[in-house]
Structures are given as structure tokens and as C-alpha cells.
Amino acid sequence: MAEQERMVEAILFATAEPVTTRELEARMPHGCDAAEALVYLRKRYEGRGVQVMKVGDAWAIRTAADLGFLMQKETVETRKLSRAAIETLAIIAYHQPVTRAEIEEIRGVSVSRGTVDQLLELEWIRFGRRKMTPGRPVTFVVTQSFLDHFGLENARDLPGLKELRAAGLLENRPPPGTLPGPETEAEDESGEGQSELFED
Amino acid sequence: MAEQERMVEAILFATAEPVTTRELEARMPHGCDAAEALVYLRKRYEGRGVQVMKVGDAWAIRTAADLGFLMQKETVETRKLSRAAIETLAIIAYHQPVTRAEIEEIRGVSVSRGTVDQLLELEWIRFGRRKMTPGRPVTFVVTQSFLDHFGLENARDLPGLKELRAAGLLENRPPPGTLPGPETEAEDESGEGQSELFED
Amino acid sequence: MAEDTFEEDRISVADRLAAEALIVDVDGFEGPLDLLLTLSRTQKVDLRKISVLQLAHQYLAFVEKAKQLRLELAADYLVMAAWLAFLKSRLLLPPDPTEEGPSGEELAAHLAFQLERLQAMRDAAARLMARDQLGRDFFARGQSEMVTRVRKVTYSATLLDLMQGYARIRTRDEFRPFVMDRDAVFTMEQALDRMRGLIGFAGDWTDILSYLPEGWEMDPAKRRSATAATFAASLELVKEGHLEIRQSETFAPIQLRKRDEHRDRST
């Protein structure tokens, strides 16, 4: 019976929907008594952080009612970040500290206030030091939680353009004949010397 | 402590992803000791149908491996990994942090872009720190999802790791005749990084 | 060469047949190292005790056979063959004290190490894949969203999203439609301006190439553009009567000189 109890425990844990006794027995080896195993299992979980509960005519493991307050984090809804936000974030990560004007220059379109606000709210970017240029514009930099979220130790570990190309993230086309603008220089620097390893 | 154990139990049951001790404590009332509660909880589930498992610096509840046969319904069809992908994964796991060039040196063939892409997409590998060698190449390391997938507490628990290291087979030995200099430094550096990585 | 024959004899017929059977399967190998590893198995000894010399023979025999069968081997297989032939000669000939570089034994030991390491990684990979795996042998919580009390929206993005986003912006220039890259183009107007200033000094026949603007000679794209523009500008100046142009034969240098009123009258 201990073995049958283990089986019921594993099935209830791993199944997305509540499971009926009949279904439990259909999945367990022939001759098992799911109903009896459930009685033991239910007893075992009495007073624990999770409970074996009856839902209609099926069974499920659920959080103990008094611990519901711990579950607030489980109710989050995840949405994909918009393309504008991803691009803005990418530019900040690769070029930080970077001003809003610089972001707009690289993206070629203006950056909406909502996009920056959203990234600030997510705590993926924060304000950096002001630039020592006319108007002393604020800059943006990425945060520790950005690094945590994307599994990076350092923003410098982001692969350069050449590496992106080698990884198949870019169409592999011949580089343009000329290198327009200072941005390209910066990119070249990061990829310098790696061409050897990553060119195919 | 019994109450804290219940809380940890409830939180771990409620989520499919591993939860770090820090996150547990952030969700529990102030002043709780999640680490201690975990010791008790882990003991409590020994031999049961589900297990408390350590995954890197996080924790998760998983069904016992011997009950896998009950779960046909839950089995997710995973894309079959190519031999090249499996070998590349193993090399990254055992040699991490490792550069693409080093992987190619060990396998004796170039690493196709699809291979690395696939492993990145599975979130089994990620970019590590850049190497302090000429060109500052990016490195690859394995992730928490990798540990979770293969039921490893830690990259140190990789099967046969100690024996391989004792046999000198995890060394990045430069070919004879290579001029001492950058290469030798590179090797030193990698040795350092590795031990660091396998430490908790 | 006597040793050579001796070595040939040491490879048993069975081994040679086995090696030849591999030929058919040449596509099945992941590079020369993989092939060497497979060949080394025919020696049926611990990889640490492997005879690298014998292995070199086996490999060279393989490549020879492939050539006979007119199979195309990838370049890296041939590079390995050349290296092994070199290694073989180092191992067979008495060491030459004047020769620089590592000894044959050192090179052989490194190859043996590489093979052993590759085999070790293969074994490690097999052991890794044989482990119980999440979603196959053990399972995560099936019902993760339990309480729906607070609805909070979070936004997610993966590292791939981020890198692709960045790549998209930074490569937009590479496929913008129909915009001329002015940086590598020397226009005829520019060339005319330049030539007008210079022809005053072109008393005698001079190669047109010496009129190329500075800094445009090295890069092939720039050089092409500057040459074309300079040539077109020269023709224009000839038409205007300021220049003379000649070419002694096809593909010979094109030469320019200033048109001289005096000279014209005298001839």
C-alpha cells in the first residue's frame, strides 16, 4: 500500500487537472486500490502546507487554505515585451550609458515615454550619470535584475555583431563596403580578434 | 520551524520552476530561515512519491524517477538532439566556461551554428564571462535548467567528473610546439574559471 | 623505407579490411579526429597504449583507398593525412638534433591525448543522456497556478529576443533598399573639379592612374569608382579641348597630357 500511496502522490502532483479514482487506477499497475491509497495519502498530508482535496469527483493536491497569502506570486500573467521595448532595451544594454537622443538615433524612430517607463518599472533599466554634454542629458544603464533575468554576469558578455552572425542570429551577408558612423566602430571593437574563431 | 516547513512546502508545490532560497525568504514572513526548513522538508519526503531536489542554488519538488512509468500522459516529446549537439553539451558541461574554439579543438570539427542555437534555445547553455585571452572570446556555461533537466544538484555532480579531472582529460593542453605565451595564459585562465564555477 | 615495409606488414589483413569497410561510410564521420578514433578501435587496446604510428598507417591507407574509389574527401581529412605523413616520418627517422620543434614522440602523445579526451567526452555525453530526465523520467508540478488572487502582469523577454532585436537594428543598414553608399563613390563632378586643377601640370604624357585622388588607391571598391570617374572626366576634358588622351594598345596604360596650342600649330 505504501507503494500505491507513492504512485497516487506522484500522479496527483504531476497532473495538470484533478484526477478521478478511476483514472488513477487506469494509470496504476493492475490490481491497485487507488481509493484506499488516497485515504492514506490524505491522512499523511493533514496539517501540511499542501492538502489532498476532493474537487467534484476527482482529486488534487492544493495549497493549504491558510497559506494562500504565499501564493500571490503564482498569479502573475506573463506577456511578451513589445518590439519597441526589446529594441530599446537592447540598445541600452549594448551602448550603456546612453541618452534618449542616442537611442533614437540608433533606432531611427523616437522612443515613446511609455516604453522607457515600462523598462524602468520592470527595473531592467535605471538612470545613469548625466552626460557632460550641452543640456546635461540623463543616461540609461541596465540593472542587476536585468542581468539576473537574462542570465548574464555582465552586460559586456553580450555577444558582438560578428558573434551574433556566427550563431545564426543574423542573415549571413557580406558586410557592407563602408562602415557608417561611430557606432559601427564600437561594435567592431567588441568583435575584434574574434573573427578568427567565429567566421565560417 | 514546523510552520516554516509548511510554507516552503506550499511554495515549492505551487510552482514548476525551481525557487531559490532567497526568493523563498522574500515570500515568507520576515525572519524565516528557508534553508533550515528545507533540510527538514527534504528529509520528510525521502522515499516518497515526490522528492525535494536541489537545483543549483534553488529547490524544486519533482516526482521520484522510479515512477516515471506512470506518467506517459505527461511526457513531453522533446526534439531529438543530434550527436553533435549532445557532445557539444557534454563538453560545455564538463569544461565550462569554454569557448567555441575550445569545443572545436576537442571535437576536431567546427561547431555548426544550429547546434549552439539549439542548446541556447533549450536554455541548457548560456553565455558566460568573456575569456581574458586575445580577442576576449565569449564562453559558454550550463544553466540551472540544464541541472534541473538532468536532476543534478550542481555542475560538480556530473557523472565521472572527478575521474576525468584526475585523468587530466579536462585539461586544455596546448599542442606541443606551441609558443609559450598567450595560449599558456589562456590555459591557466580556464583552469581558474573552472574551479571557480564548480564551487558553490 | 625498410621500416616502412615492416610496419605495413604489421597491420593484419582483417584490420585492413575493416578500415576499408569504413570508406563506404565516410559521410558518417564527424571529422578526421572522429575517423581516427574509430580506426583506433581496431587496435583493441587501451587508448593510452595505442600505437600512433600504426594509426597513422591506417588513416593514410583509408585516404589512399578513398582516392582509388574516387571519393571526395573534405579538405580537413587531407590536412590530417598530410600531418600524419609528417608525423610518421618524424617517428621513423632518427631524430635530427638540428631540427626545431617538438619531437615525433611529443606530437604522437598529444594526438593520443586528443583521442582519449574525445572518447572521454563521448562517454560522458552518453552517461549524461542516460540520466533520468525531467519530463521523461521525473516530472514537475502539473498544476502550477493555484490561487488567483492578485493579477499582476509581468513582461518577459528572452536573451534571444534581445539579441535578435539588437541585430535587427544594427543590420537595417545592410538591407535598406536602393540607397547609394556615397562613401565609396567618387563622382564625375568631383573628378572634373580635381582634374581641372591638375591638368595645368600635365605637360608630358602621364598615366591616368596617377590622377587618382589620395586615399582612394587601396580599397578595391573605392579605386574602381575613382578610376571610372577620372576616366570619364578626362574624356570630358578632351571633348572640351583641354586634354589629349592616348592608349598604345589594348589594356596598355591610358596616358594624358595637356593640349598645347603651340604644339598643335607646329604639327
Side-chain angles (χ1 to χ4, degrees):
Chain A
M1 188 44 61
E3 200 48 31
Q4 295 185 30
E5 200 190 314
R6 288 182 74 226
M7 293 182 196
V8 172
E9 187 176 33
I11 295 173
L12 291 188
F13 173 84
T15 318
E17 301 294 319
V19 190
T20 62
T21 321
R22 232 177 65 196
E23 205 183 323
L24 279 172
E25 281 180 1
R27 288 173 69 171
M28 290 160 73
H30 193 69
C32 284
D33 185 343
E36 200 191 337
L38 272 164
V39 173
Y40 285 102
L41 191 68
R42 200 173 186 184
K43 194 154 214 143
R44 189 183 288 273
Y45 277 95
E46 250 167 41
R48 305 292 321 152
V50 291
Q51 310 273 283
V52 178
M53 288 182 187
K54 194 153 193 220
V55 184
D57 60 348
W59 296 85
I61 297 180
R62 292 280 165 88
T63 312
D66 64 315
L67 296 179
F69 71 96
L70 292 170
M71 295 306 134
Q72 297 190 348
K73 236 195 145 178
E74 277 358 278
T75 66
V76 294
E77 190 184 315
T78 316
R79 280 190 210 155
K80 270 269 188 218
L81 210 57
S82 71
R83 177 168 161 163
I86 284 177
E87 289 184 3
T88 305
L89 182 62
I91 293 169
I92 295 171
Y94 275 89
H95 294 265
Q96 63 172 353
V98 63
T99 68
R100 192 193 193 96
E102 287 163 344
I103 298 170
E104 296 184 338
E105 192 189 321
I106 296 171
R107 277 199 71 214
V109 282
S110 65
V111 176
S112 85
R113 167 169 293 249
T115 304
V116 173
D117 281 351
Q118 187 186 23
L119 293 174
L120 283 169
E121 206 175 302
L122 283 167
E123 293 182 9
W124 283 350
I125 63 168
R126 61 178 177 79
F127 294 106
R129 239 174 284 173
R130 279 178 187 278
K131 265 230 161 119
M132 299 306 280
T133 50
R136 312 242 301 121
V138 289
T139 62
F140 298 102
V141 294
V142 292
T143 61
Q144 185 60 43
S145 30
F146 167 86
L147 297 178
D148 291 345
H149 182 91
F150 290 98
L152 293 164
E153 297 194 16
N154 197 304
R156 279 196 305 269
D157 295 333
L158 281 167
L161 271 198
K162 278 186 191 162
E163 289 156 332
L164 291 176
R165 186 174 278 130
L169 294 169
L170 280 180
E171 287 298 295
N172 200 20
R173 58 185 73 237
T178 52
L179 310 169
E183 273 81 27
T184 324
E185 264 167 48
E187 171 247 310
D188 253 20
E189 201 177 299
S190 77
E192 204 186 308
Q194 276 155 2
S195 52
E196 225 178 280
L197 308 181
F198 286 89
E199 225 65 72
D200 17 10
Chain B
M1 190 42 63
E3 200 49 30
Q4 295 186 28
E5 200 192 313
R6 288 184 71 227
M7 292 184 199
V8 171
E9 188 177 33
I11 295 173
L12 291 188
F13 258 89
T15 170
E17 298 300 316
V19 186
T20 63
T21 322
R22 225 177 73 193
E23 207 181 322
L24 282 171
E25 281 179 0
R27 289 173 64 180
M28 291 159 73
H30 192 69
C32 284
D33 184 344
E36 199 189 337
L38 277 161
V39 174
Y40 288 102
L41 191 68
R42 194 179 201 182
K43 197 149 215 150
R44 185 181 293 273
Y45 278 92
E46 255 167 36
R48 299 271 297 275
V50 295
Q51 311 269 284
V52 178
M53 290 171 79
K54 189 164 193 263
V55 183
D57 59 352
W59 297 80
I61 296 182
R62 301 284 179 246
T63 63
D66 65 314
L67 298 177
F69 70 94
L70 294 169
M71 307 293 165
Q72 273 103 346
K73 239 181 104 180
E74 272 66 45
T75 309
V76 276
E77 224 19 79
T78 40
R79 217 178 347 159
K80 198 118 172 72
L81 282 181
S82 67
R83 176 171 147 188
I86 291 171
E87 278 181 26
T88 303
L89 178 66
I91 291 170
I92 293 171
Y94 283 82
H95 290 260
Q96 64 174 354
V98 64
T99 66
R100 194 190 184 100
E102 287 162 350
I103 299 169
E104 295 183 338
E105 154 85 12
I106 294 171
R107 292 197 63 229
V109 279
S110 61
V111 176
S112 86
R113 57 175 65 162
T115 304
V116 171
D117 235 18
Q118 192 183 17
L119 295 175
L120 280 170
E121 215 169 290
L122 282 166
E123 293 185 9
W124 284 354
I125 63 169
R126 63 176 178 84
F127 295 104
R129 241 174 281 178
R130 281 180 188 275
K131 247 188 195 167
M132 299 306 282
T133 51
R136 312 245 303 121
V138 291
T139 63
F140 297 103
V141 295
V142 291
T143 62
Q144 179 180 284
S145 310
F146 167 85
L147 298 177
D148 193 16
H149 186 90
F150 291 99
L152 293 161
E153 269 196 24
N154 197 297
R156 271 181 317 191
D157 299 335
L158 284 164
L161 182 73
K162 247 188 228 151
E163 293 79 356
L164 287 171
R165 186 176 294 155
L169 291 169
L170 298 184
E171 285 166 27
N172 190 5
R173 227 180 267 177
T178 324
L179 292 174
E183 264 76 28
T184 329
E185 262 169 47
E187 196 220 320
D188 281 357
E189 179 70 33
S190 83
E192 236 171 70
Q194 208 168 50
S195 52
E196 205 180 290
L197 229 135
F198 284 108
E199 237 61 74
D200 297 41
Chain C
M1 283 300 105
E3 289 107 318
D4 218 12
T5 351
F6 171 68
E7 279 299 324
E8 294 279 355
D9 291 339
R10 268 184 47 190
I11 304 169
S12 75
V13 177
D15 283 350
R16 197 178 304 185
L17 284 176
E20 284 170 6
L22 295 172
I23 300 276
V24 189
D25 195 27
V26 66
D27 285 337
F29 291 105
E30 297 215 10
L33 213 52
D34 185 30
L35 170 58
L36 276 171
L37 194 55
T38 308
L39 289 172
S40 70
R41 287 203 193 98
T42 61
Q43 292 192 18
K44 296 186 181 68
V45 290
D46 189 320
L47 270 177
R48 284 159 200 263
K49 295 179 190 130
I50 199 159
S51 158
V52 169
L53 189 58
Q54 193 184 334
L55 190 58
H57 271 295
Q58 288 172 291
Y59 187 94
L60 293 172
F62 173 95
V63 171
E64 199 46 49
K65 186 79 186 164
K67 273 187 196 155
Q68 282 168 26
L69 294 174
R70 295 167 188 277
L71 284 174
E72 286 218 20
L73 286 180
D76 46 349
Y77 287 87
L78 301 177
V79 170
M80 178 62 90
W83 187 80
L84 285 173
F86 163 75
L87 174 62
K88 203 175 91 173
S89 70
R90 279 249 159 148
L91 288 172
L92 288 175
L93 300 171
D96 178 353
T98 64
E99 201 144 21
E100 303 239 328
S103 70
E105 275 72 25
E106 283 171 330
L107 293 172
H110 187 69
L111 180 62
F113 166 73
Q114 283 181 294
L115 291 175
E116 199 190 341
R117 184 173 62 179
L118 179 59
Q119 185 57 53
M121 280 300 110
R122 294 242 159 112
D123 296 343
R127 280 161 86 177
L128 187 65
M129 296 317 281
R131 285 184 72 86
D132 291 329
Q133 293 181 33
L134 181 66
R136 191 187 77 180
D137 306 293
F138 62 96
F139 295 83
R141 180 67 165 141
Q143 214 175 355
S144 52
E145 262 154 296
M146 301 180 77
V147 187
T148 41
R149 267 206 200 154
V150 182
R151 286 185 77 80
K152 187 181 147 203
V153 177
T154 65
Y155 289 89
S156 82
T158 67
L159 188 57
L160 275 178
D161 293 334
L162 191 72
M163 294 187 303
Q164 278 165 341
Y166 187 68
R168 195 163 56 225
I169 309 164
R170 297 319 306 274
T171 54
R172 210 170 29 207
D173 288 347
E174 290 180 31
F175 36 81
R176 69 201 150 151
F178 199 68
V179 177
M180 289 282 274
D181 246 327
R182 308 307 295 184
D183 304 56
V185 174
F186 196 64
T187 63
M188 196 179 117
E189 284 76 9
Q190 284 172 296
L192 262 176
D193 279 351
R194 186 181 160 77
M195 297 292 288
R196 281 190 212 282
L198 290 175
I199 48 171
F201 307 101
D204 211 337
W205 293 108
T206 338
D207 193 329
I208 190 170
L209 292 180
S210 56
Y211 291 93
L212 292 193
E214 270 168 52
W216 289 71
E217 303 96 328
M218 297 311 287
D219 180 76
K222 286 177 141 189
R223 184 186 165 89
R224 242 189 329 271
S225 170
T227 308
T230 305
F231 180 63
S234 307
L235 291 181
E236 189 62 32
L237 290 170
V238 170
K239 205 167 99 188
E240 286 174 24
H242 299 299
L243 262 189
E244 289 177 333
I245 191 162
R246 75 171 186 193
Q247 187 178 28
S248 54
E249 58 178 297
T250 319
F251 299 124
I254 296 171
Q255 295 176 314
L256 307 173
R257 80 172 172 192
K258 183 182 166 193
R259 181 161 170 208
D260 194 325
E261 310 284 330
H262 296 288
R263 201 160 45 207
D264 273 357
R265 262 193 298 270
S266 61
T267 44

